[in-house]
Amino acid sequence: MPELPETETIARDLDGAIRGRKIRNVSVRKADVLREVSARSLAKRLRDATILRSWRRAKLVVIDLDTGDRIVVQPRFTGALLIDSGNFTRSELDYSTLRIDLDDGRALHYADVRRLGTVALMDPRRFEEYSGKLGVEPLDRAFTATHLSAVLRATSQPVKKVLMEQRKIAGIGNIYANEALWRARIDPSRPGASISVEETQLLRHSIVAVLGEAIEARGTSFRDYRDASGKRGSFVEKLDAYGRGGLPCRRCSSKLITTHAIDGRATTMCVKCQH
DNA sequence: AGGGGAACCCGTACGC
DNA sequence: TGCGTACGGGTTCCCC
């Protein structure tokens, strides 16, 4: 569930909480969340490392270490990075998959109820390779209308599916794809190549605006998402499309519809004002 | 190359 | 009430 705004919120909070801390010890309780590294090797490579910075790339939380290694966390649906200052409840501990003990007595946990999320450890070369396969960051200057136009022009896939392809544009998932297309008044099923220059400019603006507003609201908590201190994001109240099937369109009052015709994912739109 | 489908995982919802 | 099963959801990987 965490898309770009939620992941950004997690990474910012985490950076404020653990920047400069040194790692003492690592213990892995559920090794099936690990990717590209064994539990043993993870513990070895993290021990005594200093945490330089936590930041976001696409829907990933990246933790830079002074060793050059990066911890790359993909929370997927129910993953969370939580800091235990000694006040964790039993259920929070139950879902902890791994614990990183810090030099100030606190511990960073990766907790994940369904464990579809992943934790990888990458050296600089591997991280560059991995990150290089991901598309442009929509909040970077590089995400221009010209760039979006080139992405859309190249495909006959539905525009909504294109927005969610991480190799093309990084960080947009089902919620913000629905929102941006509603704002731009574009029918999500239209082929990428059919989107006009004017529509592309409006769509780019809609994407940037909705992501920015959602970050300000600390993300959307629809079902599971909570930030590092367990709090919900408030953008759910501002959603115009996602989760509003059957409710009146906030522009024209006609009933929003939800279909699963695009890539099997829930698409909610206004048939009257999205063309 | 690009597309389709399975696998990953388990809480929740639903049927009997 | 209890048990069994289908489902969801993003990404990766395999196959066509």
Side-chain angles (χ1 to χ4, degrees):
Chain A
M1 195 59 89
E3 301 180 26
L4 188 154
E6 295 74 31
T7 312
E8 180 71 29
T9 302
I10 294 167
R12 285 183 188 178
D13 285 358
L14 196 61
D15 192 47
I18 65 170
R19 179 187 281 252
R21 297 267 61 84
K22 194 168 173 180
I23 294 172
R24 289 288 183 226
N25 197 45
V26 177
S27 70
V28 178
R29 224 166 59 87
K30 298 281 186 184
D32 60 2
V33 300
L34 297 180
R35 293 294 182 278
E36 311 193 13
V37 68
S38 67
R40 192 187 179 88
S41 168
L42 179 77
K44 192 177 169 196
R45 283 163 67 182
L46 293 193
R47 190 167 298 128
D48 296 330
T50 296
I51 295 164
L52 298 182
R53 183 167 86 105
S54 303
W55 55 290
R56 179 195 61 76
R57 168 80 170 116
K59 302 174 192 171
L60 310 164
V61 179
V62 182
I63 303 172
D64 292 356
L65 306 175
D66 66 342
T67 56
D69 279 335
R70 291 189 164 104
I71 305 169
V72 180
V73 179
Q74 199 168 83
R76 299 271 174 93
F77 314 104
T78 54
L81 287 158
L82 303 172
I83 293 160
D84 183 11
S85 309
N87 51 0
F88 256 32
T89 64
R90 179 66 190 274
S91 78
E92 282 172 313
L93 289 171
D94 274 352
Y95 292 121
S96 170
T97 68
L98 63 91
R99 187 186 78 229
I100 298 174
D101 295 319
L102 305 175
D103 59 354
D104 60 3
R106 294 179 303 162
L108 173 64
H109 290 257
Y110 177 65
D112 195 338
V113 173
R114 294 193 200 170
R115 295 210 308 283
L116 273 178
T118 60
V119 177
L121 188 65
M122 300 184 192
D123 65 23
R125 194 166 146 242
R126 171 62 185 138
F127 182 80
E128 284 316 309
E129 178 196 33
Y130 184 80
S131 180
K133 287 183 198 157
L134 295 168
V136 64
E137 284 289 334
L139 298 182
D140 271 8
R141 300 174 65 95
F143 184 59
T144 58
T146 308
H147 179 89
L148 180 58
S149 178
V151 168
L152 293 175
R153 222 173 22 231
T155 181
S156 58
Q157 292 278 320
V159 56
K160 180 183 174 228
K161 194 179 169 192
V162 180
L163 295 186
M164 292 170 62
E165 278 182 34
Q166 301 303 300
R167 284 173 176 254
K168 294 178 175 156
I169 304 166
I172 300 176
N174 203 24
I175 296 175
Y176 298 104
N178 276 298
E179 292 304 303
L181 289 161
W182 182 88
R183 287 188 184 208
R185 305 184 187 223
I186 295 171
D187 180 337
S189 68
R190 278 179 52 198
S194 78
I195 309 295
S196 73
V197 171
E198 292 74 22
E199 287 172 324
T200 302
Q201 286 169 347
L202 180 58
L203 181 56
R204 190 208 70 92
H205 182 265
S206 301
I207 291 168
V208 173
V210 74
L211 293 175
E213 289 166 35
I215 289 172
E216 261 183 62
R218 300 179 57 79
T220 301
S221 292
F222 201 74
R223 280 186 205 151
D224 302 300
Y225 165 72
R226 299 291 187 276
D227 67 26
S229 35
K231 291 203 285 290
R232 301 171 71 92
S234 66
F235 198 73
V236 66
E237 301 151 24
K238 306 270 180 56
L239 295 176
D240 292 311
Y242 186 85
R244 297 195 70 246
L247 296 172
C249 173
R250 293 202 164 117
R251 267 190 307 251
C252 74
S253 300
S254 82
K255 204 190 232 188
L256 300 179
I257 61 148
T258 298
T259 77
H260 288 80
I262 303 168
D263 211 24
R265 312 291 313 283
T267 296
T268 301
M269 65 172 292
C270 176
V271 183
K272 196 170 165 198
C273 54
Q274 286 175 260
H275 299 287

mmCIF file of all heavy atoms in Angstrom, chain A residues 76 114 116 130 265, chain C residues 8-12:
data_model
loop_
_atom_site.group_PDB
_atom_site.id
_atom_site.type_symbol
_atom_site.label_atom_id
_atom_site.label_comp_id
_atom_site.label_asym_id
_atom_site.label_seq_id
_atom_site.Cartn_x
_atom_site.Cartn_y
_atom_site.Cartn_z
ATOM 1 N N ARG A 76 5.790 -3.011 0.618
ATOM 2 C CA ARG A 76 4.601 -3.593 -0.033
ATOM 3 C C ARG A 76 3.339 -3.204 0.731
ATOM 4 O O ARG A 76 3.077 -2.033 0.889
ATOM 5 C CB ARG A 76 4.721 -5.104 -0.148
ATOM 6 C CG ARG A 76 5.893 -5.555 -0.982
ATOM 7 C CD ARG A 76 5.552 -5.687 -2.459
ATOM 8 N NE ARG A 76 6.737 -5.972 -3.219
ATOM 9 C CZ ARG A 76 7.159 -7.191 -3.533
ATOM 10 N NH1 ARG A 76 6.448 -8.225 -3.189
ATOM 11 N NH2 ARG A 76 8.259 -7.359 -4.212
ATOM 12 N N ARG A 114 1.901 -9.624 6.749
ATOM 13 C CA ARG A 114 1.762 -10.629 5.678
ATOM 14 C C ARG A 114 3.087 -11.055 5.057
ATOM 15 O O ARG A 114 3.127 -11.978 4.266
ATOM 16 C CB ARG A 114 0.840 -10.084 4.585
ATOM 17 C CG ARG A 114 -0.560 -9.902 5.102
ATOM 18 C CD ARG A 114 -1.523 -9.682 3.978
ATOM 19 N NE ARG A 114 -2.731 -9.057 4.491
ATOM 20 C CZ ARG A 114 -3.689 -8.567 3.734
ATOM 21 N NH1 ARG A 114 -3.580 -8.625 2.436
ATOM 22 N NH2 ARG A 114 -4.752 -8.031 4.266
ATOM 23 N N LEU A 116 4.871 -9.907 2.670
ATOM 24 C CA LEU A 116 5.142 -9.834 1.235
ATOM 25 C C LEU A 116 6.188 -8.760 0.970
ATOM 26 O O LEU A 116 6.722 -8.647 -0.129
ATOM 27 C CB LEU A 116 3.869 -9.547 0.444
ATOM 28 C CG LEU A 116 3.043 -10.762 0.058
ATOM 29 C CD1 LEU A 116 1.790 -10.341 -0.686
ATOM 30 C CD2 LEU A 116 3.847 -11.728 -0.811
ATOM 31 N N TYR A 130 20.308 -1.684 -9.619
ATOM 32 C CA TYR A 130 18.887 -1.844 -9.284
ATOM 33 C C TYR A 130 18.128 -0.546 -9.491
ATOM 34 O O TYR A 130 17.075 -0.512 -10.137
ATOM 35 C CB TYR A 130 18.782 -2.306 -7.827
ATOM 36 C CG TYR A 130 17.375 -2.607 -7.378
ATOM 37 C CD1 TYR A 130 16.766 -3.812 -7.688
ATOM 38 C CD2 TYR A 130 16.663 -1.684 -6.624
ATOM 39 C CE1 TYR A 130 15.475 -4.092 -7.276
ATOM 40 C CE2 TYR A 130 15.373 -1.949 -6.202
ATOM 41 C CZ TYR A 130 14.787 -3.154 -6.526
ATOM 42 O OH TYR A 130 13.502 -3.421 -6.124
ATOM 43 N N ARG A 265 -6.763 -4.495 -11.791
ATOM 44 C CA ARG A 265 -6.718 -3.657 -10.586
ATOM 45 C C ARG A 265 -7.953 -2.758 -10.543
ATOM 46 O O ARG A 265 -8.475 -2.356 -11.576
ATOM 47 C CB ARG A 265 -5.466 -2.779 -10.598
ATOM 48 C CG ARG A 265 -4.170 -3.515 -10.929
ATOM 49 C CD ARG A 265 -3.769 -4.452 -9.823
ATOM 50 N NE ARG A 265 -3.850 -3.799 -8.525
ATOM 51 C CZ ARG A 265 -2.956 -2.940 -8.068
ATOM 52 N NH1 ARG A 265 -1.903 -2.658 -8.773
ATOM 53 N NH2 ARG A 265 -3.101 -2.379 -6.897
ATOM 54 P P DG C 8 -9.898 -10.369 -5.507
ATOM 55 O OP1 DG C 8 -11.050 -9.591 -6.032
ATOM 56 O OP2 DG C 8 -9.067 -11.168 -6.418
ATOM 57 O "O5'" DG C 8 -8.958 -9.363 -4.714
ATOM 58 C "C5'" DG C 8 -9.409 -8.787 -3.501
ATOM 59 C "C4'" DG C 8 -8.220 -8.260 -2.735
ATOM 60 O "O4'" DG C 8 -7.530 -9.360 -2.103
ATOM 61 C "C3'" DG C 8 -7.193 -7.537 -3.602
ATOM 62 O "O3'" DG C 8 -6.836 -6.332 -2.949
ATOM 63 C "C2'" DG C 8 -6.004 -8.499 -3.663
ATOM 64 C "C1'" DG C 8 -6.141 -9.258 -2.351
ATOM 65 N N9 DG C 8 -5.633 -10.613 -2.359
ATOM 66 C C8 DG C 8 -5.635 -11.510 -3.409
ATOM 67 N N7 DG C 8 -5.137 -12.677 -3.091
ATOM 68 C C5 DG C 8 -4.788 -12.544 -1.756
ATOM 69 C C6 DG C 8 -4.201 -13.474 -0.852
ATOM 70 O O6 DG C 8 -3.868 -14.642 -1.082
ATOM 71 N N1 DG C 8 -4.001 -12.925 0.411
ATOM 72 C C2 DG C 8 -4.337 -11.651 0.773
ATOM 73 N N2 DG C 8 -4.081 -11.291 2.030
ATOM 74 N N3 DG C 8 -4.888 -10.762 -0.050
ATOM 75 C C4 DG C 8 -5.083 -11.278 -1.295
ATOM 76 P P DG C 9 -6.932 -4.975 -3.768
ATOM 77 O OP1 DG C 9 -7.511 -3.960 -2.866
ATOM 78 O OP2 DG C 9 -7.509 -5.238 -5.101
ATOM 79 O "O5'" DG C 9 -5.399 -4.648 -3.975
ATOM 80 C "C5'" DG C 9 -4.633 -4.239 -2.864
ATOM 81 C "C4'" DG C 9 -3.227 -4.744 -3.049
ATOM 82 O "O4'" DG C 9 -3.162 -6.158 -2.833
ATOM 83 C "C3'" DG C 9 -2.680 -4.530 -4.479
ATOM 84 O "O3'" DG C 9 -1.697 -3.513 -4.445
ATOM 85 C "C2'" DG C 9 -2.088 -5.876 -4.863
ATOM 86 C "C1'" DG C 9 -2.081 -6.646 -3.552
ATOM 87 N N9 DG C 9 -2.198 -8.101 -3.711
ATOM 88 C C8 DG C 9 -2.601 -8.774 -4.833
ATOM 89 N N7 DG C 9 -2.573 -10.065 -4.709
ATOM 90 C C5 DG C 9 -2.125 -10.268 -3.427
ATOM 91 C C6 DG C 9 -1.882 -11.466 -2.719
ATOM 92 O O6 DG C 9 -2.016 -12.627 -3.129
ATOM 93 N N1 DG C 9 -1.431 -11.231 -1.430
ATOM 94 C C2 DG C 9 -1.232 -9.984 -0.882
ATOM 95 N N2 DG C 9 -0.810 -9.951 0.385
ATOM 96 N N3 DG C 9 -1.462 -8.854 -1.524
ATOM 97 C C4 DG C 9 -1.898 -9.062 -2.792
ATOM 98 P P DG C 10 -1.215 -2.874 -5.870
ATOM 99 O OP1 DG C 10 -1.393 -1.423 -5.725
ATOM 100 O OP2 DG C 10 -1.782 -3.581 -7.022
ATOM 101 O "O5'" DG C 10 0.342 -3.183 -5.793
ATOM 102 C "C5'" DG C 10 1.112 -2.607 -4.743
ATOM 103 C "C4'" DG C 10 2.556 -2.972 -4.918
ATOM 104 O "O4'" DG C 10 2.726 -4.397 -4.794
ATOM 105 C "C3'" DG C 10 3.171 -2.598 -6.260
ATOM 106 O "O3'" DG C 10 4.523 -2.248 -5.984
ATOM 107 C "C2'" DG C 10 3.052 -3.880 -7.082
ATOM 108 C "C1'" DG C 10 3.170 -4.971 -6.019
ATOM 109 N N9 DG C 10 2.316 -6.142 -6.231
ATOM 110 C C8 DG C 10 1.031 -6.159 -6.690
ATOM 111 N N7 DG C 10 0.509 -7.359 -6.712
ATOM 112 C C5 DG C 10 1.511 -8.182 -6.229
ATOM 113 C C6 DG C 10 1.534 -9.585 -6.019
ATOM 114 O O6 DG C 10 0.634 -10.402 -6.223
ATOM 115 N N1 DG C 10 2.760 -10.016 -5.513
ATOM 116 C C2 DG C 10 3.813 -9.174 -5.242
ATOM 117 N N2 DG C 10 4.914 -9.766 -4.750
ATOM 118 N N3 DG C 10 3.813 -7.875 -5.429
ATOM 119 C C4 DG C 10 2.631 -7.448 -5.923
ATOM 120 P P DT C 11 5.541 -1.886 -7.182
ATOM 121 O OP1 DT C 11 6.493 -0.909 -6.627
ATOM 122 O OP2 DT C 11 4.786 -1.584 -8.420
ATOM 123 O "O5'" DT C 11 6.320 -3.248 -7.394
ATOM 124 C "C5'" DT C 11 7.107 -3.757 -6.317
ATOM 125 C "C4'" DT C 11 7.619 -5.119 -6.673
ATOM 126 O "O4'" DT C 11 6.526 -6.027 -6.878
ATOM 127 C "C3'" DT C 11 8.468 -5.189 -7.955
ATOM 128 O "O3'" DT C 11 9.771 -5.529 -7.533
ATOM 129 C "C2'" DT C 11 7.800 -6.261 -8.808
ATOM 130 C "C1'" DT C 11 6.935 -7.008 -7.798
ATOM 131 N N1 DT C 11 5.693 -7.651 -8.304
ATOM 132 C C2 DT C 11 5.526 -9.001 -8.100
ATOM 133 O O2 DT C 11 6.365 -9.694 -7.565
ATOM 134 N N3 DT C 11 4.344 -9.512 -8.551
ATOM 135 C C4 DT C 11 3.326 -8.815 -9.171
ATOM 136 O O4 DT C 11 2.294 -9.387 -9.526
ATOM 137 C C5 DT C 11 3.561 -7.403 -9.359
ATOM 138 C C7 DT C 11 2.518 -6.573 -10.027
ATOM 139 C C6 DT C 11 4.721 -6.889 -8.918
ATOM 140 P P DT C 12 10.988 -5.625 -8.578
ATOM 141 O OP1 DT C 12 12.193 -5.194 -7.856
ATOM 142 O OP2 DT C 12 10.601 -4.981 -9.846
ATOM 143 O "O5'" DT C 12 11.082 -7.194 -8.813
ATOM 144 C "C5'" DT C 12 11.143 -8.060 -7.690
ATOM 145 C "C4'" DT C 12 11.058 -9.501 -8.160
ATOM 146 O "O4'" DT C 12 9.704 -9.831 -8.530
ATOM 147 C "C3'" DT C 12 11.929 -9.812 -9.383
ATOM 148 O "O3'" DT C 12 12.648 -10.997 -9.098
ATOM 149 C "C2'" DT C 12 10.917 -10.002 -10.514
ATOM 150 C "C1'" DT C 12 9.718 -10.538 -9.744
ATOM 151 N N1 DT C 12 8.393 -10.322 -10.384
ATOM 152 C C2 DT C 12 7.478 -11.342 -10.358
ATOM 153 O O2 DT C 12 7.708 -12.431 -9.859
ATOM 154 N N3 DT C 12 6.260 -11.057 -10.935
ATOM 155 C C4 DT C 12 5.876 -9.866 -11.536
ATOM 156 O O4 DT C 12 4.761 -9.726 -12.014
ATOM 157 C C5 DT C 12 6.889 -8.827 -11.540
ATOM 158 C C7 DT C 12 6.593 -7.502 -12.164
ATOM 159 C C6 DT C 12 8.076 -9.103 -10.969
#
